[in-house]
Amino acid sequence: MWTSPAPSPVDGPLFGADTELLPAYLDHQRATLLNICAGLTGEQLALRPIPSSNLSLLGLVRHMAKVERTWFRIRAAQEEIEPVYDLALGKDHDFDDVDAALAAADVQRLRQECVAARAAAAGLSLDRPVQARDAAMSLRMVYLHMIGEYARHNGHADLLREAIDGVTNR
């Protein structure tokens, strides 16, 4: 039976330029989400253990794959690629349409999108303008946004994991 694999440990610099610190800290946040999911089956990842919420660990994995591609590849690097999910399916399709049978592919997609996002941002200036919906921001701000996005969802993920099997401190 498939279980979500643990990520490689991430140990980034504690001093240095933003060009080193921001990608390293984002990698730490990426690894944190994957570590929270590590060891769970597709069925467990797809659970929505908090009755008042539609959140699942698998939904968070799918969501982060979507935002990795959107912010780094489509917006920052201006790659001409499709979004991860068809926009016509709705903005919460990544959270709503989870399928335990596809969990391995969804976790792998997040891992691949992280690799592709790193490659897309490599060599770009942190001052590069990145067009969002209504305004431009620097690539530096994109990194800060993504670190915040992961941190917020990693907090959700901690609570979901604890509700699934009692495991904490991942």
Side-chain angles (χ1 to χ4, degrees):
M1 173 178 290
W2 177 87
T3 61
S4 188
S8 299
V10 173
D11 189 22
L14 299 177
F15 294 91
D18 287 354
T19 54
E20 298 168 7
L21 294 173
L22 292 172
Y25 197 67
L26 179 54
D27 280 342
H28 169 75
Q29 293 294 325
R30 289 166 169 154
T32 297
L33 179 59
L34 292 169
N35 194 46
I36 291 167
C37 295
L40 295 179
T41 66
E43 291 75 21
Q44 289 171 309
L45 291 172
L47 288 173
R48 291 183 172 107
I50 301 172
S52 61
S53 174
N54 75 333
L55 289 181
S56 67
L57 289 170
L58 189 54
L60 292 173
V61 164
R62 289 165 48 87
H63 176 68
M64 295 313 298
K66 175 181 85 174
V67 297
E68 287 278 359
R69 178 178 288 199
T70 299
W71 280 105
F72 286 106
R73 297 179 67 195
I74 295 173
R75 291 180 178 166
Q78 299 177 338
E79 292 180 22
E80 293 186 18
I81 56 173
E82 294 295 319
V84 173
Y85 305 108
D86 183 350
L87 299 175
L89 297 172
K91 71 180 187 85
D92 287 336
H93 177 73
D94 40 343
F95 291 117
D96 295 337
D97 193 35
V98 298
D99 182 344
L102 301 176
D106 286 332
V107 169
Q108 184 60 27
R109 179 182 299 118
L110 173 58
R111 288 173 172 267
Q112 290 169 340
E113 286 300 331
C114 290
V115 169
R118 281 185 208 99
L124 297 180
S125 167
L126 291 177
D127 294 321
R128 178 187 180 90
V130 176
Q131 187 64 42
R133 288 183 194 95
D134 299 329
M137 63 179 71
S138 68
L139 180 59
R140 179 181 284 104
M141 188 62 211
V142 170
Y143 273 104
L144 293 171
H145 169 76
M146 288 295 292
I147 289 166
E149 180 96 359
Y150 268 101
R152 175 178 179 234
H153 290 313
N154 285 341
H156 297 139
D158 279 334
L159 293 171
L160 293 168
R161 177 66 190 251
E162 185 175 6
I164 291 167
D165 67 358
V167 169
T168 59
N169 297 320
R170 301 222 29 134

mmCIF file of all heavy atoms in Angstrom, residues 55-74:
data_model
loop_
_atom_site.group_PDB
_atom_site.id
_atom_site.type_symbol
_atom_site.label_atom_id
_atom_site.label_comp_id
_atom_site.label_asym_id
_atom_site.label_seq_id
_atom_site.Cartn_x
_atom_site.Cartn_y
_atom_site.Cartn_z
ATOM 1 N N LEU A 55 -11.190 21.147 4.388
ATOM 2 C CA LEU A 55 -9.759 20.917 4.225
ATOM 3 C C LEU A 55 -9.371 19.460 4.444
ATOM 4 O O LEU A 55 -9.851 18.806 5.364
ATOM 5 C CB LEU A 55 -8.957 21.786 5.192
ATOM 6 C CG LEU A 55 -8.919 23.279 4.915
ATOM 7 C CD1 LEU A 55 -8.064 23.983 5.960
ATOM 8 C CD2 LEU A 55 -8.417 23.579 3.515
ATOM 9 N N SER A 56 -8.480 19.016 3.579
ATOM 10 C CA SER A 56 -7.823 17.717 3.722
ATOM 11 C C SER A 56 -6.353 17.946 3.418
ATOM 12 O O SER A 56 -5.984 18.927 2.764
ATOM 13 C CB SER A 56 -8.407 16.698 2.752
ATOM 14 O OG SER A 56 -8.100 17.059 1.414
ATOM 15 N N LEU A 57 -5.512 17.040 3.875
ATOM 16 C CA LEU A 57 -4.094 17.150 3.535
ATOM 17 C C LEU A 57 -3.891 17.049 2.026
ATOM 18 O O LEU A 57 -3.082 17.777 1.448
ATOM 19 C CB LEU A 57 -3.286 16.075 4.265
ATOM 20 C CG LEU A 57 -3.156 16.297 5.769
ATOM 21 C CD1 LEU A 57 -2.550 15.077 6.444
ATOM 22 C CD2 LEU A 57 -2.328 17.545 6.068
ATOM 23 N N LEU A 58 -4.655 16.181 1.386
ATOM 24 C CA LEU A 58 -4.533 16.041 -0.061
ATOM 25 C C LEU A 58 -4.967 17.326 -0.767
ATOM 26 O O LEU A 58 -4.340 17.748 -1.741
ATOM 27 C CB LEU A 58 -5.336 14.845 -0.556
ATOM 28 C CG LEU A 58 -5.126 14.445 -2.011
ATOM 29 C CD1 LEU A 58 -3.647 14.208 -2.322
ATOM 30 C CD2 LEU A 58 -5.946 13.202 -2.335
ATOM 31 N N GLY A 59 -6.007 17.956 -0.280
ATOM 32 C CA GLY A 59 -6.423 19.237 -0.842
ATOM 33 C C GLY A 59 -5.341 20.293 -0.705
ATOM 34 O O GLY A 59 -5.101 21.087 -1.621
ATOM 35 N N LEU A 60 -4.657 20.307 0.440
ATOM 36 C CA LEU A 60 -3.561 21.259 0.632
ATOM 37 C C LEU A 60 -2.408 20.969 -0.321
ATOM 38 O O LEU A 60 -1.810 21.888 -0.884
ATOM 39 C CB LEU A 60 -3.082 21.233 2.085
ATOM 40 C CG LEU A 60 -4.072 21.779 3.116
ATOM 41 C CD1 LEU A 60 -3.545 21.540 4.528
ATOM 42 C CD2 LEU A 60 -4.358 23.254 2.889
ATOM 43 N N VAL A 61 -2.091 19.704 -0.515
ATOM 44 C CA VAL A 61 -1.040 19.313 -1.464
ATOM 45 C C VAL A 61 -1.418 19.784 -2.867
ATOM 46 O O VAL A 61 -0.599 20.373 -3.588
ATOM 47 C CB VAL A 61 -0.815 17.785 -1.420
ATOM 48 C CG1 VAL A 61 -0.042 17.291 -2.638
ATOM 49 C CG2 VAL A 61 -0.120 17.385 -0.123
ATOM 50 N N ARG A 62 -2.644 19.541 -3.269
ATOM 51 C CA ARG A 62 -3.110 19.955 -4.594
ATOM 52 C C ARG A 62 -3.079 21.480 -4.744
ATOM 53 O O ARG A 62 -2.669 22.013 -5.771
ATOM 54 C CB ARG A 62 -4.519 19.410 -4.842
ATOM 55 C CG ARG A 62 -4.561 17.905 -5.045
ATOM 56 C CD ARG A 62 -5.982 17.328 -4.928
ATOM 57 N NE ARG A 62 -6.970 18.042 -5.694
ATOM 58 C CZ ARG A 62 -7.262 17.808 -6.983
ATOM 59 N NH1 ARG A 62 -6.633 16.849 -7.640
ATOM 60 N NH2 ARG A 62 -8.181 18.514 -7.602
ATOM 61 N N HIS A 63 -3.511 22.185 -3.687
ATOM 62 C CA HIS A 63 -3.531 23.644 -3.709
ATOM 63 C C HIS A 63 -2.114 24.203 -3.870
ATOM 64 O O HIS A 63 -1.886 25.110 -4.675
ATOM 65 C CB HIS A 63 -4.170 24.170 -2.424
ATOM 66 C CG HIS A 63 -4.153 25.655 -2.319
ATOM 67 N ND1 HIS A 63 -4.907 26.467 -3.142
ATOM 68 C CD2 HIS A 63 -3.462 26.483 -1.494
ATOM 69 C CE1 HIS A 63 -4.691 27.730 -2.826
ATOM 70 N NE2 HIS A 63 -3.814 27.767 -1.830
ATOM 71 N N MET A 64 -1.174 23.650 -3.128
ATOM 72 C CA MET A 64 0.180 24.179 -3.200
ATOM 73 C C MET A 64 0.834 23.881 -4.553
ATOM 74 O O MET A 64 1.618 24.687 -5.047
ATOM 75 C CB MET A 64 1.026 23.680 -2.028
ATOM 76 C CG MET A 64 0.547 24.187 -0.662
ATOM 77 S SD MET A 64 0.176 25.972 -0.567
ATOM 78 C CE MET A 64 1.769 26.687 -0.944
ATOM 79 N N ALA A 65 0.506 22.756 -5.164
ATOM 80 C CA ALA A 65 0.997 22.498 -6.525
ATOM 81 C C ALA A 65 0.462 23.578 -7.472
ATOM 82 O O ALA A 65 1.201 24.091 -8.324
ATOM 83 C CB ALA A 65 0.574 21.112 -6.993
ATOM 84 N N LYS A 66 -0.808 23.921 -7.295
ATOM 85 C CA LYS A 66 -1.419 24.950 -8.136
ATOM 86 C C LYS A 66 -0.729 26.299 -7.952
ATOM 87 O O LYS A 66 -0.385 26.963 -8.935
ATOM 88 C CB LYS A 66 -2.909 25.077 -7.812
ATOM 89 C CG LYS A 66 -3.615 26.197 -8.556
ATOM 90 C CD LYS A 66 -5.089 26.304 -8.184
ATOM 91 C CE LYS A 66 -5.300 27.133 -6.951
ATOM 92 N NZ LYS A 66 -6.735 27.372 -6.661
ATOM 93 N N VAL A 67 -0.511 26.716 -6.714
ATOM 94 C CA VAL A 67 0.070 28.044 -6.500
ATOM 95 C C VAL A 67 1.557 28.087 -6.843
ATOM 96 O O VAL A 67 2.052 29.129 -7.281
ATOM 97 C CB VAL A 67 -0.225 28.604 -5.087
ATOM 98 C CG1 VAL A 67 -1.714 28.789 -4.880
ATOM 99 C CG2 VAL A 67 0.371 27.767 -3.989
ATOM 100 N N GLU A 68 2.271 26.973 -6.667
ATOM 101 C CA GLU A 68 3.674 26.934 -7.107
ATOM 102 C C GLU A 68 3.748 27.250 -8.603
ATOM 103 O O GLU A 68 4.533 28.087 -9.039
ATOM 104 C CB GLU A 68 4.292 25.554 -6.848
ATOM 105 C CG GLU A 68 4.583 25.243 -5.408
ATOM 106 C CD GLU A 68 5.883 25.822 -4.882
ATOM 107 O OE1 GLU A 68 6.628 26.485 -5.638
ATOM 108 O OE2 GLU A 68 6.165 25.604 -3.693
ATOM 109 N N ARG A 69 2.935 26.538 -9.390
ATOM 110 C CA ARG A 69 2.953 26.754 -10.842
ATOM 111 C C ARG A 69 2.514 28.169 -11.183
ATOM 112 O O ARG A 69 3.135 28.844 -12.022
ATOM 113 C CB ARG A 69 2.052 25.754 -11.560
ATOM 114 C CG ARG A 69 2.030 26.010 -13.074
ATOM 115 C CD ARG A 69 1.201 25.040 -13.821
ATOM 116 N NE ARG A 69 1.866 23.742 -13.855
ATOM 117 C CZ ARG A 69 1.580 22.802 -14.728
ATOM 118 N NH1 ARG A 69 0.657 22.993 -15.654
ATOM 119 N NH2 ARG A 69 2.206 21.648 -14.700
ATOM 120 N N THR A 70 1.451 28.631 -10.562
ATOM 121 C CA THR A 70 0.905 29.945 -10.887
ATOM 122 C C THR A 70 1.902 31.058 -10.603
ATOM 123 O O THR A 70 2.166 31.905 -11.471
ATOM 124 C CB THR A 70 -0.400 30.189 -10.105
ATOM 125 O OG1 THR A 70 -1.358 29.192 -10.487
ATOM 126 C CG2 THR A 70 -0.963 31.575 -10.378
ATOM 127 N N TRP A 71 2.455 31.084 -9.389
ATOM 128 C CA TRP A 71 3.313 32.206 -9.011
ATOM 129 C C TRP A 71 4.688 32.173 -9.672
ATOM 130 O O TRP A 71 5.170 33.211 -10.140
ATOM 131 C CB TRP A 71 3.463 32.275 -7.487
ATOM 132 C CG TRP A 71 2.273 32.918 -6.861
ATOM 133 C CD1 TRP A 71 1.269 32.303 -6.182
ATOM 134 C CD2 TRP A 71 1.949 34.304 -6.884
ATOM 135 N NE1 TRP A 71 0.329 33.225 -5.774
ATOM 136 C CE2 TRP A 71 0.728 34.468 -6.193
ATOM 137 C CE3 TRP A 71 2.556 35.434 -7.420
ATOM 138 C CZ2 TRP A 71 0.115 35.702 -6.023
ATOM 139 C CZ3 TRP A 71 1.943 36.668 -7.242
ATOM 140 C CH2 TRP A 71 0.735 36.785 -6.555
ATOM 141 N N PHE A 72 5.319 31.013 -9.707
ATOM 142 C CA PHE A 72 6.695 30.982 -10.196
ATOM 143 C C PHE A 72 6.801 30.743 -11.695
ATOM 144 O O PHE A 72 7.584 31.404 -12.369
ATOM 145 C CB PHE A 72 7.522 29.928 -9.440
ATOM 146 C CG PHE A 72 7.862 30.373 -8.047
ATOM 147 C CD1 PHE A 72 7.223 29.815 -6.957
ATOM 148 C CD2 PHE A 72 8.798 31.361 -7.827
ATOM 149 C CE1 PHE A 72 7.521 30.232 -5.669
ATOM 150 C CE2 PHE A 72 9.109 31.791 -6.545
ATOM 151 C CZ PHE A 72 8.467 31.221 -5.466
ATOM 152 N N ARG A 73 6.030 29.824 -12.215
ATOM 153 C CA ARG A 73 6.202 29.475 -13.618
ATOM 154 C C ARG A 73 5.379 30.380 -14.531
ATOM 155 O O ARG A 73 5.895 30.910 -15.513
ATOM 156 C CB ARG A 73 5.848 28.008 -13.828
ATOM 157 C CG ARG A 73 6.796 27.092 -13.037
ATOM 158 C CD ARG A 73 6.462 25.654 -13.188
ATOM 159 N NE ARG A 73 6.721 25.242 -14.570
ATOM 160 C CZ ARG A 73 6.257 24.118 -15.087
ATOM 161 N NH1 ARG A 73 5.495 23.304 -14.369
ATOM 162 N NH2 ARG A 73 6.535 23.794 -16.337
ATOM 163 N N ILE A 74 4.090 30.539 -14.204
ATOM 164 C CA ILE A 74 3.218 31.320 -15.093
ATOM 165 C C ILE A 74 3.447 32.813 -14.911
ATOM 166 O O ILE A 74 3.627 33.541 -15.887
ATOM 167 C CB ILE A 74 1.737 30.939 -14.865
ATOM 168 C CG1 ILE A 74 1.508 29.477 -15.280
ATOM 169 C CG2 ILE A 74 0.809 31.891 -15.617
ATOM 170 C CD1 ILE A 74 0.129 28.928 -14.946
#
